[in-house]
Amino acid sequence: MIYFENEGLICELNDGILLLKINRESKANALNGVTSYAMEEVLNKAENDKDVRVIIITGAGSKAFCAGEDLSELSSSGECATVTPHGFGGITNRLSKKPIIAAVNGFAVGGGMEIAMSCDLIVAAEHAKFGLTEVKVGLIASTGGLVRLARDIPTKLAMDMMLTGRVIKADEALKHNLINKVVSSENLLDEAYELARTICKNVPLSLEFSKMIFHRAKQMSLEDATAYCDIAYRFIEKTADGIEGPKAFMEKREAKWQGK
């Protein structure tokens, strides 16, 4: 089912899985302002749509996932027109309660890499490449790239990529845990959908709380994070799904989730 469509973005929703495809293949799927804001709107809508369980982001074609910002969109003063209230592509400054998977079908550079790193999981085609190339054009990876890269991979490799603008291949990205899995180009979307279907089998509230706690715990002491987790558990165990899950397990039947 078509969820949203314009000249730069095609979104389809099927069986709880929302596929966002950046559809600017002639521009290496670089984002212009219209497409970036369209992604913002779609992700805002999906955030509160119970029919959306998992989100997959990919690019059209097999060459590029996203080449970052379409530099022709810069104003005469150099002002960026693609950063929305939730960052570049509506995602780089978003903590979504929905699991998001990046299916990287080609090179993800500049803002494209920032989009991929903003996702919870990354599945990449064998020919995919990753890099923060902003230093090559007099800019910086300001919408999450510098911050996330410094936290996600070893310091020396992060400094190498940030200072040189070097692009790394999928196998090197996997070696340093920047991505989750490398598959053939032909199997990329199948793998992403299989991962999404596995996630869809789990309870929406459990997924939402797990993500929330995981991200916030990084900014807390162990004691505070543990206390926060305990408070969340005491809340979720009293929800309809928190009661239904253990009950269905004990009765050896399929659970009926209500999403509350």
Side-chain angles (χ1 to χ4, degrees):
M1 177 185 78
I2 298 297
Y3 196 80
F4 176 90
E5 184 174 9
N6 68 8
E7 63 179 13
L9 186 67
I10 299 174
C11 305
E12 300 177 0
L13 176 62
N14 295 291
D15 299 323
I17 302 170
L18 178 62
L19 176 69
L20 273 69
K21 180 182 289 185
I22 302 169
N23 191 37
R24 305 190 78 230
E25 190 173 358
S26 64
K27 296 285 188 177
N29 294 322
L31 298 189
N32 59 4
V34 171
T35 305
S36 188
Y37 273 87
M39 290 177 67
E40 166 83 15
E41 292 175 12
V42 170
L43 290 169
N44 286 345
K45 177 183 175 182
E47 196 70 15
N48 297 305
D49 188 343
K50 290 186 177 181
D51 290 333
V52 177
R53 296 289 316 281
V54 180
I55 299 167
I56 298 173
I57 299 178
T58 194
S62 59
K63 181 180 179 181
F65 170 74
C66 175
E69 181 179 15
D70 185 344
L71 295 181
S72 67
E73 287 281 298
L74 291 174
S75 68
S76 58
S77 63
E79 187 175 356
C80 176
T82 54
V83 176
T84 74
H86 286 95
F88 184 65
I91 187 174
T92 59
N93 192 30
R94 180 188 298 270
L95 178 52
S96 175
K97 59 187 177 184
K98 307 294 176 78
I100 304 179
I101 302 168
V104 181
N105 54 301
F107 56 83
V109 296
M113 182 170 173
E114 291 180 291
I115 288 176
M117 287 194 297
S118 300
C119 297
D120 300 304
L121 301 167
I122 303 176
V123 180
E126 292 172 325
H127 67 287
K129 295 181 180 179
F130 300 84
L132 295 178
T133 54
E134 285 88 346
V135 292
K136 292 179 177 290
V137 293
L139 302 174
I140 62 171
S142 62
T143 57
L146 296 177
V147 176
R148 288 191 173 93
L149 195 66
R151 298 182 181 190
D152 288 352
I153 65 175
T155 299
K156 296 303 182 186
L157 176 60
M159 290 298 291
D160 175 6
M161 294 179 68
M162 288 188 290
L163 296 179
T164 67
R166 184 169 72 90
V167 174
I168 64 173
K169 296 180 179 179
D171 56 352
E172 185 174 358
L174 179 64
K175 176 183 176 182
H176 294 290
N177 299 317
L178 183 62
I179 64 178
N180 296 91
K181 195 168 188 178
V182 177
V183 299
S184 66
S185 179
E186 295 78 11
N187 293 330
L188 178 65
L189 274 183
D190 287 341
E191 188 68 31
Y193 269 103
E194 182 59 32
L195 185 56
R197 284 191 289 269
T198 299
I199 294 171
C200 278
K201 294 176 183 177
N202 297 321
V203 187
L205 273 179
S206 295
L207 294 171
E208 178 183 345
F209 272 74
S210 293
K211 278 194 62 174
M212 178 179 67
I213 292 169
F214 177 84
H215 285 285
R216 285 176 169 77
K218 294 179 180 180
Q219 304 168 38
M220 300 178 179
S221 67
L222 177 60
E223 293 79 7
D224 287 346
T226 301
Y228 183 47
C229 196
D230 185 61
I231 292 169
Y233 182 86
R234 297 306 173 193
F235 171 82
I236 203 169
E237 70 176 348
K238 295 179 177 65
T239 63
D241 287 347
I243 294 170
E244 167 67 2
K247 185 178 180 182
F249 179 81
M250 294 301 294
E251 294 175 356
K252 295 181 171 56
R253 61 173 174 81
E254 194 77 18
K256 298 178 181 178
W257 307 123
Q258 299 181 42
K260 60 181 183 180

